[in-house]
């Protein structure tokens, strides 16, 4: 399943919220992304159908292994671009916005090559 940038944002938001608290609900994601609860519910249904997350009996959102792996890749790209933009002198708020757009457009292969060129092992 190819994820849209919006679906990637939802996965990333679940990962971020899960780092802050043990149980993640749709309302937490709505707050994190500043979107409506019905929007979150629709997105969670798509992600659940795609095998990226499950919901338990209490409606807590749980990333599957696929969801966890995908969310971590998205978040890694986001952090990488945010950090580089800030280091280059971009205002942190602007860097966050631009990193969010960049994380969705770069291929994983190009990202790995860029990361390797900037952060040599």
């Amino acid at each position: 399943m190819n994820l849209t940038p919006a679906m990637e944002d939802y996965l990333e938001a679940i990962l971020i919220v899960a780092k802050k608290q043990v149980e993640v609900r749709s309302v937490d994601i709505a707050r994190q992304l500043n979107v409506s609860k019905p929007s979150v519910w629709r997105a969670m249904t798509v992600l659940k159908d795609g095998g990226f997350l499950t919901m338990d009996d209490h409606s807590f959102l749980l990333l599957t292994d696929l969801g966890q792996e995908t969310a971590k890749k998205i978040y890694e790209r986001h952090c990488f671009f945010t950090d580089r933009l800030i280091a280059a002198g971009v205002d942190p708020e602007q860097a966050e916005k631009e990193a969010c757009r960049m994380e969705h457009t770069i291929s994983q292969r190009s990202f790995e090559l860029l990361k390797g060129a900037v952060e040599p092992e």
Side-chain angles (χ1 to χ4, degrees):
M1 170 183 186
N2 283 338
L3 293 173
T4 65
M7 291 299 120
E8 289 183 352
D9 284 341
Y10 281 106
L11 280 176
E12 185 180 21
I14 295 167
L15 180 72
I16 291 168
V17 172
K19 289 178 182 236
K20 298 175 190 173
Q21 60 194 51
V22 177
E23 299 168 333
V24 180
R25 291 186 182 219
S26 293
V27 67
D28 301 317
I29 303 309
R31 278 192 214 112
Q32 176 76 18
L33 295 176
N34 198 28
V35 296
S36 70
K37 288 184 248 179
S39 294
V40 173
W41 185 254
R42 282 190 298 278
M44 296 307 105
T45 301
V46 170
L47 292 172
K48 184 178 172 189
D49 291 347
F52 294 94
L53 68 86
T54 60
M55 288 184 220
D56 69 11
D57 295 338
H58 303 288
S59 296
F60 294 125
L61 306 173
L62 306 165
L63 291 172
T64 62
D65 289 343
L66 174 63
Q68 187 85 346
E69 179 185 333
T70 304
K72 284 181 178 179
K73 285 180 182 177
I74 297 161
Y75 187 61
E76 178 187 19
R77 291 192 305 249
H78 181 93
C79 292
F80 176 86
F81 288 121
T82 300
D83 292 346
R84 296 310 168 289
L85 289 168
I86 291 171
V90 176
D91 172 73
E93 189 174 319
Q94 186 66 27
E96 280 286 334
K97 291 176 187 175
E98 292 179 359
C100 192
R101 288 193 299 270
M102 295 166 85
E103 73 192 42
H104 300 299
T105 59
I106 192 167
S107 71
Q108 188 62 31
R109 174 77 176 134
S110 293
F111 174 69
E112 293 298 330
L113 289 170
L114 180 61
K115 186 173 115 178
V118 173
E119 300 173 347
E121 296 176 28

